[in-house]
């Protein structure tokens, strides 16, 4: 019997991962550790409207996640926004991984317009994406990075800043826009009970964000994580889990089949 997997992605993504893992015969349960919602700050909302209007003026638009794509092309937006993105033939659309590609395709963007790391890439992140898209940038080109935000004015995570520096070094320029807000979830009593139990019952915590680790330890500041087992999908996330005190931390690529195979391999944990 496989150990229970605790899926900590945002709620929409977690539900899909749980369903896919359960279909594979893995006992999985969602415990979203990042809350996602539309931007509420008036200045951020105005900036988002302007970015949508200027979509076709960019050499490329990079979406940091499926949530970035979902909230940029949100369902209540006029169909003309997606049509503009489809017809902006000089604007490439960048995605760091397959989840973002899927969200962009769902929004109606044709696959031939989307650039992303190969399916067998070592990682799905800004570094892997840059290896694919670097030749596109010439002096004077502008790139829009669509991201989430924790606080108004924040400019995204370390990977986004790294990508912006590479674009600048190639002679380009970067604009950031927040399409959604990220924050700590409000865990209810049942979720807190689940988290405490999973800290020591052999459950495997599937960690796909360093931010999620911080939210977990913030929600349970007195919890001992020495018996907890984590599966991290990036070296930075693995480092955050170890710093939080997780007793067992392994790492794998964020591709579904590799995550599932790691969960199914007891000797790896």
């Amino acid at each position: 019997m496989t150990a229970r997997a605790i899926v900590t992605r945002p709620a929409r993504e977690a539900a899909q991962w749980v369903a896919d893992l359960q279909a594979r015969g893995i006992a999985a349960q969602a415990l979203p550790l990042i809350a996602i919602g539309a931007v509420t700050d008036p200045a951020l909302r105005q900036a988002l409207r302007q970015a949508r209007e200027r979509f076709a003026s960019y050499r490329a638009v990079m979406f940091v996640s499926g949530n970035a794509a979902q909230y940029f092309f949100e369902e209540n937006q006029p169909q003309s926004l997606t049509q503009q993105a489809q017809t902006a033939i000089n604007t490439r659309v960048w995605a760091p991984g397959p989840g973002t590609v899927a969200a962009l395709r769902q929004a109606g963007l044709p696959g031939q317009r989307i650039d992303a790391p190969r399916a067998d890439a070592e990682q799905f992140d800004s570094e892997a994406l840059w290896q694919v898209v670097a030749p596109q940038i010439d002096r004077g080109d502008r790139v829009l990075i669509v991201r989430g935000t924790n606080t108004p004015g924040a400019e995204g995570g370390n990977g986004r800043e790294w990508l912006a520096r590479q674009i600048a070094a190639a002679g380009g320029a970067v604009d950031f826009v927040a399409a959604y807000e990220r924050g700590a979830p409000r865990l209810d009593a049942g979720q807190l009970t689940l988290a405490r139990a999973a800290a020591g019952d052999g459950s495997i915590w599937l960690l796909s964000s360093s931010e999620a680790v911080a939210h977990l330890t913030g929600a349970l500041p007195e919890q001992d994580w020495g018996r907890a087992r984590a599966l991290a999908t990036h070296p930075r996330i693995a480092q955050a889990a170890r710093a939080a005190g997780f007793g067992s931390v392994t790492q794998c690529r964020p591709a579904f089949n590799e995550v599932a195979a790691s969960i199914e391999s007891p000797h790896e944990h």
Side-chain angles (χ1 to χ4, degrees), residues 49-151:
R49 285 192 293 269
Q50 293 173 345
R52 288 169 174 149
E53 292 169 359
R54 296 195 305 265
F55 189 99
S57 70
Y58 288 100
R59 180 68 185 88
V61 178
M62 186 268 193
F63 294 86
V64 305
S65 66
N67 284 308
Q70 178 193 9
Y71 282 93
F72 190 87
F73 299 108
E74 60 186 354
E75 294 179 2
N76 63 356
Q77 288 298 312
Q79 183 65 23
S80 60
L81 174 59
T82 302
Q83 292 171 346
Q84 179 191 10
Q86 290 173 331
T87 57
I89 58 174
N90 293 322
T91 301
R92 300 298 298 175
V93 181
W94 297 353
T100 308
V101 171
L104 290 167
R105 294 293 299 271
Q106 186 174 359
L109 276 79
Q112 63 268 28
R113 295 276 312 289
I114 302 171
D115 300 305
R118 291 169 52 93
D120 59 354
E122 184 68 22
Q123 282 293 334
F124 299 130
D125 57 15
S126 296
E127 290 90 337
L129 174 63
W130 181 242
Q131 295 178 21
V132 176
V133 302
Q136 297 179 16
I137 300 301
D138 293 322
R139 186 162 300 278
D141 286 337
R142 295 197 75 85
V143 175
L144 175 67
I145 296 181
V146 183
R147 57 169 177 83
T149 185
N150 301 326
T151 57

Side-chain angles (χ1 to χ4, degrees), residues 25-41:
I26 295 172
Q29 192 164 353
L31 183 62
L33 291 178
I34 297 176
I36 299 291
V39 290
T40 55
D41 180 86

Side-chain angles (χ1 to χ4, degrees), residues 92-266:
R92 300 298 298 175
V93 181
W94 297 353
T100 308
V101 171
L104 290 167
R105 294 293 299 271
Q106 186 174 359
L109 276 79
Q112 63 268 28
R113 295 276 312 289
I114 302 171
D115 300 305
R118 291 169 52 93
D120 59 354
E122 184 68 22
Q123 282 293 334
F124 299 130
D125 57 15
S126 296
E127 290 90 337
L129 174 63
W130 181 242
Q131 295 178 21
V132 176
V133 302
Q136 297 179 16
I137 300 301
D138 293 322
R139 186 162 300 278
D141 286 337
R142 295 197 75 85
V143 175
L144 175 67
I145 296 181
V146 183
R147 57 169 177 83
T149 185
N150 301 326
T151 57
E155 289 195 336
N158 293 335
R160 291 26 139 186
E161 297 295 342
W162 181 90
L163 181 63
R165 290 195 295 272
Q166 309 314 304
I167 294 169
V174 174
D175 294 333
F176 287 92
V177 68
Y180 64 98
E181 292 180 350
R182 299 164 64 93
R186 296 182 178 179
L187 301 182
D188 61 28
Q191 291 172 317
L192 290 171
T193 298
L194 169 63
R196 291 188 183 98
D201 66 3
S203 294
I204 299 170
W205 289 82
L206 177 54
L207 301 174
S208 55
S209 166
S210 301
E211 186 182 358
V213 179
H215 291 165
L216 177 62
T217 56
L220 294 171
E222 305 301 322
Q223 181 65 49
D224 178 5
W225 299 99
R227 295 172 56 205
R229 305 159 70 194
L231 176 61
T233 56
H234 194 279
R236 286 190 289 266
I237 304 169
Q239 181 180 3
R242 293 187 181 100
F246 275 74
S248 170
V249 180
T250 55
Q251 185 185 322
C252 74
R253 293 171 66 250
F256 173 79
N257 285 338
E258 295 191 30
V259 169
S262 294
I263 295 171
E264 292 166 340
S265 300

